[in-house]
Amino acid sequence: MKLMAKRHAWLSVVVLTVACAEDVTAPGACPDYCPAINIQVVDSIVPGSIERDSSYRGYVDPHEAIRMEVSRGGVAESRVVMRFFPFPEEINSDSIVAIDSFQISLSLRKRSADVSDVELAIFRLPPDVDAAMTFQELDPFFQDSTKLGTLIVPDSVTSGTISAVFPGTALANLATDSMVAAIGVAFGPTLTGFAHLTAIDSDSAATWLARYAQVDTASGELAEASDSVRVEMDTYVFPEIPPPDPTVLAVGGAPAARVLMRTVLPAYIVDSAHVVRATLILVPAGPALGAPGDTVFVRAQPLATDVGPKSPFLDALSDTLMLGKADIPVGAVEPVRIDVTHIVARWRNDPDLPRSFILMAGFEGQSLAEFRFHSSEGIESPIMQVTYVTPAFSGVR
Amino acid sequence: MRKALVGALVICCTIPEASQAQSSVYGILGLGFPGRPIGTRTRAGGGGMAMFDARSVLNPATAAGFQRISVAVVSGTTLRNYTVLDSTVEGLSDTRSPIGLIGGSLRRTPVSFALSYSTYLERTYDLFTEDTVVIRNEPIAVTDRISEDGAVVDIRGALGVRVNSWLSVGGAVHVLSGSSKRSTQRDFSSPDYFRVLDTDRLTFSGLGFSAGVLASLDPRLTVAAAIRSDGKLDTGLDSSTVGQFDLPLSYAAGLTIVPVPAVRLATTAIRTTWSGVSADLAAIGGANAFDHTWDIGTGVELGGSSRSGRVPLLLGFRYAQLPFSPTLEQPTEMSFSGGTNFVFASGRVLFDLSVERILRDGGRAEERAWYLSFSLTVSP
């Protein structure tokens, strides 16, 4: 038996060599030797595909935003308002003899790219400013008499920390103001453009106010000392912007506005075919609003269920950040196309999903940038352009 | 140990793809590529022994040959190339188990049985094509991948009766079953377009009957004949019937001559009428099917019975017509084969081996393949 096994051992080698081989993938020799499958791509502009679209405002107020806009020109002037935590009466338990200077540091996130020598004017504001104050109420404090100085943004700096130093007399009323300092920031008086500053609601907030003083130490000698305080409240203010007409919808702006769009795409597209590209086409009701040089960043967000303006999203915002977006330059009047394929394609596999979605700004409430377009009740209603593939198979052919 | 290794390997390779035969470029068309329900030993002899081999499922009368329980599993590996017009594809390979069988006898009766599965129609392919389509006034390159993986399987239950020392008769019921997973994928070169992936599963069902006779007219001459009728093949998609095809009627006859004890000559001829399928496919604009096919195999076995202890040599030649074509030219298949078998464990284990060179031509295509087949038969 052993001899027999040895004699036929080569069989194992042969079997091992050829068995289990698998490679059947080949280029198709069509049409002769291809299955009778017809993959048809259809591109269709679907009239009346949007209905019951509505705009809602108030999702993010200026004082809740992670960035704040300081701008001049465009739809309106915007100014940043900050109130700092109170300075201590002493510095490290040493009494203050004299304040030499103050230094303010701001965190710049974005600025007009095409403007040179951007200036940010710093003003002293009353210590009781709060987020409810309006542009008109604060406007009297943005005067030469309250101007602390100017912060020059080097042309090489598009983001990062920028700072300016003021003499100690700049905030001479600090003691009588309960050690509270408040400042306002306005865009340079001779320029038009914008700058976005990081707000305290951001994880990367880096705004602070430092003071440099001479103190009387415990040993009775004078010494130099410093400390700093962070922002307690910040917001930005601007003149009231007229609301859009009833047949016009708005996305973005401040407070942030969103649009809930409900679709009525035919079942033979959404349920039976494969949607490979879906584009929402919006016709502006006028030039995109905002500061000169800014951009309205609009994106479409799928919904888990449609319960109106507070409908929950299907995905976390970050998951779809790169999908379904449009960058609209301020002042643009061309129709806007937003890719919504990632939303529509999912409806086939999950018929329970609402056939609706939300249009919202990319970073809500951070600027005045706003896009207004005609609603389904307007003269040029939104429309969907859908590219879909019809089912390839039927039976056996 | 080595036998166990071979056995385990064969079983390992056959289970996942059980009941599927080799792929062919001709299997893309029509209902698929017709399977050959014959064992490895018969393959080695060009199919000439198909009407006489109990481990083939062509003639139910051969079930009478099972005197004790036997289990047989076949594994086949195809290595092939094909050319269609100017397009040549090389290096394709696949491994399948085209047939498996268990047979035995009913105690104290002249009746034996055989239960088997085999490929009836093979429907496996995997193709990709490239093209450019214009969408939204832009040319977009697309790559399509179309594949199907499955088969129509013939599950046969056969009874054979040894009427007397020279005559056996048999009958069988064939349950046609199986499914095929189909997949179409389209990728666009532009990231603006999502991939399309469409999959479904076709199911097959049908019923057939066969009957056969085996007669040893002389110790040196045996003849056999069989007839098989398969009814309708219903194809379903997602629990609904999407097609029905009138399956063929087959007639087969065979002859074995043993001029001297160490030499056995055998021939089998099968005629299959595909006219029903032809009409059904024509009605839906499908592939061109021919009214009938001939399949004729002839072989010789040198060296006597495998149970004699000597290692036999089998040689064979086969000519067959294929039923489906994209043109009016009917494709044909020729094969040259050889093989042998080895007996282990006092005849309780039989290992068959065959090598086949296959040449298929016609319908603006030609295909060349090597088919290596192994089978393991255990009679505990």
Side-chain angles (χ1 to χ4, degrees):
Chain A
M1 193 63 198
K2 280 187 176 178
L3 184 64
M4 182 74 82
K6 283 184 179 176
R7 186 180 300 168
H8 303 308
W10 61 273
L11 285 177
S12 304
V13 177
V14 172
V15 171
L16 281 168
T17 303
V18 300
C20 299
E22 187 73 32
D23 181 7
V24 297
T25 305
C30 301
D32 284 357
Y33 289 91
C34 279
I37 290 173
N38 185 15
I39 301 176
Q40 273 200 321
V41 180
V42 181
D43 186 60
S44 174
I45 292 177
V46 187
S49 47
I50 302 293
E51 66 168 18
R52 293 190 297 136
D53 46 356
S54 305
S55 185
Y56 304 93
R57 192 177 289 277
Y59 288 92
V60 180
D61 286 326
H63 71 276
E64 299 170 324
I66 61 172
R67 299 181 191 177
M68 301 174 292
E69 177 173 301
V70 51
S71 65
R72 185 184 298 276
V75 63
E77 180 181 5
S78 177
R79 296 167 179 168
V80 165
V81 175
M82 297 175 177
R83 187 183 71 231
F84 292 90
F85 284 104
F87 278 107
E89 297 283 350
E90 300 173 323
I91 299 178
N92 299 328
S93 303
D94 295 334
S95 57
I96 298 172
V97 176
I99 296 177
D100 294 333
S101 63
F102 289 94
Q103 182 183 24
I104 186 167
S105 291
L106 304 175
S107 179
L108 178 70
R109 293 303 304 267
K110 187 180 175 186
R111 47 159 285 192
S112 295
D114 55 349
V115 179
S116 297
D117 301 324
V118 169
E119 294 179 6
L120 299 180
I122 312 296
F123 296 87
R124 187 180 69 240
L125 300 182
D128 57 350
V129 293
D130 60 44
M133 296 184 77
T134 65
F135 182 89
Q136 286 74 17
E137 289 172 324
L138 290 167
D139 188 52
F141 300 102
F142 286 82
Q143 305 294 333
D144 288 344
S145 60
T146 58
K147 188 173 182 179
L148 299 177
T150 299
L151 196 158
I152 307 294
V153 181
D155 289 348
S156 59
V157 175
T158 56
S159 66
T161 300
I162 51 176
S163 61
V165 177
F166 312 118
T169 54
L171 294 171
N173 298 332
L174 194 61
T176 57
D177 288 341
S178 304
M179 304 303 287
V180 172
I183 65 166
V185 183
F187 203 81
T190 60
L191 301 172
T192 58
F194 72 95
H196 290 170
L197 304 179
T198 302
I200 55 174
D201 290 286
S202 166
D203 294 336
S204 57
T207 301
W208 45 266
L209 179 65
R211 64 180 172 179
Y212 298 88
Q214 292 187 19
V215 295
D216 188 3
T217 62
S219 60
E221 296 179 352
L222 292 178
E224 292 183 345
S226 66
D227 62 358
S228 64
V229 290
R230 294 197 172 274
V231 176
E232 183 179 19
M233 182 281 301
D234 58 10
T235 186
Y236 62 101
V237 294
F238 49 88
E240 186 176 353
I241 299 171
D245 293 339
T247 60
V248 171
L249 304 175
V251 175
R258 297 178 183 174
V259 171
L260 174 58
M261 309 205 86
R262 297 181 173 95
T263 68
V264 283
L265 290 170
Y268 68 83
I269 294 177
V270 178
D271 299 324
S272 301
H274 293 274
V275 173
V276 295
R277 188 177 183 185
T279 307
L280 175 68
I281 303 171
L282 306 172
V283 179
L289 304 179
D294 202 0
T295 300
V296 191
F297 176 66
V298 177
R299 68 175 172 184
Q301 191 72 19
L303 300 179
T305 182
D306 184 353
V307 291
K310 294 186 178 179
S311 299
F313 293 148
L314 187 58
D315 306 309
L317 287 178
S318 57
D319 291 346
T320 54
L321 189 60
M322 301 307 293
L323 297 173
K325 66 182 182 68
D327 294 317
I328 309 163
V330 167
V333 293
E334 295 80 18
V336 170
R337 295 170 176 269
I338 300 176
D339 188 291
V340 290
T341 315
H342 66 295
I343 299 174
V344 179
R346 294 164 81 162
W347 294 343
R348 171 188 164 99
N349 296 326
D350 192 345
D352 293 332
L353 288 177
R355 306 291 167 90
S356 49
F357 53 85
I358 288 275
L359 293 182
M360 60 187 291
F363 299 96
E364 289 190 298
Q366 71 170 11
S367 76
L368 305 184
E370 181 173 312
F371 176 60
R372 295 180 176 183
F373 57 95
H374 293 288
S375 73
S376 60
E377 296 178 354
I379 51 176
E380 292 177 289
S381 62
I383 203 164
M384 299 269 280
Q385 182 174 10
V386 184
T387 307
Y388 57 96
V389 174
T390 55
F393 289 122
S394 52
V396 172
R397 297 175 83 88
Chain B
M1 184 62 190
R2 293 182 191 281
K3 285 184 288 184
L5 174 65
V6 172
L9 192 61
V10 169
I11 291 168
C12 152
C13 291
T14 57
I15 288 175
E17 302 285 355
S19 77
Q20 296 179 12
Q22 81 273 27
S23 302
S24 167
V25 68
Y26 294 98
I28 298 169
L29 306 171
L31 301 187
F33 193 79
R36 290 182 72 195
I38 59 175
T40 299
R41 183 187 176 201
T42 300
R43 269 190 177 275
M49 290 289 294
M51 289 293 288
F52 309 95
D53 181 14
R55 288 176 292 157
S56 298
V57 295
L58 193 61
N59 181 4
T62 59
F66 286 109
Q67 301 301 310
R68 59 180 180 177
I69 290 289
S70 293
V71 178
V73 177
V74 177
S75 174
T77 296
T78 306
L79 309 169
R80 64 191 173 98
N81 308 321
Y82 68 79
T83 300
V84 177
L85 296 176
D86 298 332
S87 172
T88 298
V89 179
E90 298 181 329
L92 301 178
S93 61
D94 56 85
T95 300
R96 299 286 187 267
S97 174
I99 183 170
L101 178 144
I102 180 170
S105 63
L106 302 180
R107 190 174 296 179
R108 288 191 286 275
T109 71
V111 179
S112 297
F113 68 91
L115 185 65
S116 65
Y117 69 80
S118 61
T119 303
Y120 188 79
L121 291 162
E122 165 65 27
R123 297 183 57 85
T124 297
Y125 54 80
D126 188 354
L127 306 173
F128 65 88
T129 61
E130 294 175 337
D131 199 357
T132 298
V133 296
V134 177
I135 313 174
R136 303 189 183 189
N137 299 319
E138 281 184 86
I140 309 286
V142 296
T143 302
D144 294 337
R145 184 167 183 175
I146 304 163
S147 65
E148 191 165 341
D149 187 6
V152 181
V153 181
D154 175 11
I155 299 171
R156 188 193 76 160
L159 290 175
V161 181
R162 293 176 296 283
V163 178
N164 53 44
S165 61
W166 60 273
L167 180 66
S168 297
V169 297
V173 175
H174 301 261
V175 176
L176 300 179
S177 181
S179 66
S180 180
K181 181 186 176 187
R182 303 190 301 182
S183 172
T184 298
Q185 178 178 310
R186 167 164 286 189
D187 287 299
F188 297 86
S189 60
S190 166
D192 293 333
Y193 293 87
F194 275 30
R195 164 187 286 181
V196 174
L197 180 59
D198 200 4
T199 59
D200 61 19
R201 185 172 289 277
L202 270 179
T203 57
F204 308 102
S205 60
L207 194 62
F209 302 92
S210 65
V213 60
L214 189 65
S216 297
L217 304 178
D218 182 273
R220 290 176 295 183
L221 175 65
T222 304
V223 295
I227 183 170
R228 172 171 177 170
S229 174
D230 295 309
K232 304 278 188 182
L233 180 69
D234 292 317
T235 59
L237 187 63
D238 298 332
S239 73
S240 60
T241 300
V242 294
Q244 192 175 63
F245 299 91
D246 191 6
L247 290 174
L249 184 67
S250 301
Y251 311 90
L255 173 70
T256 298
I257 300 172
V258 185
V260 294
V263 177
R264 178 193 297 251
L265 301 167
T267 294
T268 290
I270 309 165
R271 179 184 165 91
T272 306
T273 58
W274 292 90
S275 53
V277 174
S278 175
D280 292 337
L281 285 174
I284 59 172
N288 183 33
F290 294 88
D291 286 347
H292 68 264
T293 58
W294 278 103
D295 186 333
I296 302 167
T298 299
V300 58
E301 180 176 340
L302 306 172
S305 165
S306 60
R307 295 178 191 275
S308 67
R310 288 173 294 189
V311 177
L313 172 66
L314 295 104
L315 299 170
F317 170 78
R318 172 174 173 261
Y319 169 83
Q321 296 169 318
L322 302 179
F324 305 114
S325 171
T327 69
L328 296 177
E329 179 191 12
Q330 184 166 21
T332 59
E333 179 180 65
M334 280 197 303
S335 63
F336 303 90
S337 56
T340 187
N341 52 52
F342 305 92
V343 177
F344 303 93
S346 305
R348 293 181 181 276
V349 177
L350 185 62
F351 183 78
D352 295 289
L353 167 66
S354 76
V355 180
E356 201 172 353
R357 177 61 173 167
I358 302 171
L359 302 88
R360 302 184 183 111
D361 293 279
R364 291 200 284 262
E366 65 173 40
E367 188 169 47
R368 300 291 179 260
W370 288 100
Y371 187 71
L372 313 177
S373 178
F374 311 96
S375 76
L376 186 69
T377 304
V378 179
S379 303

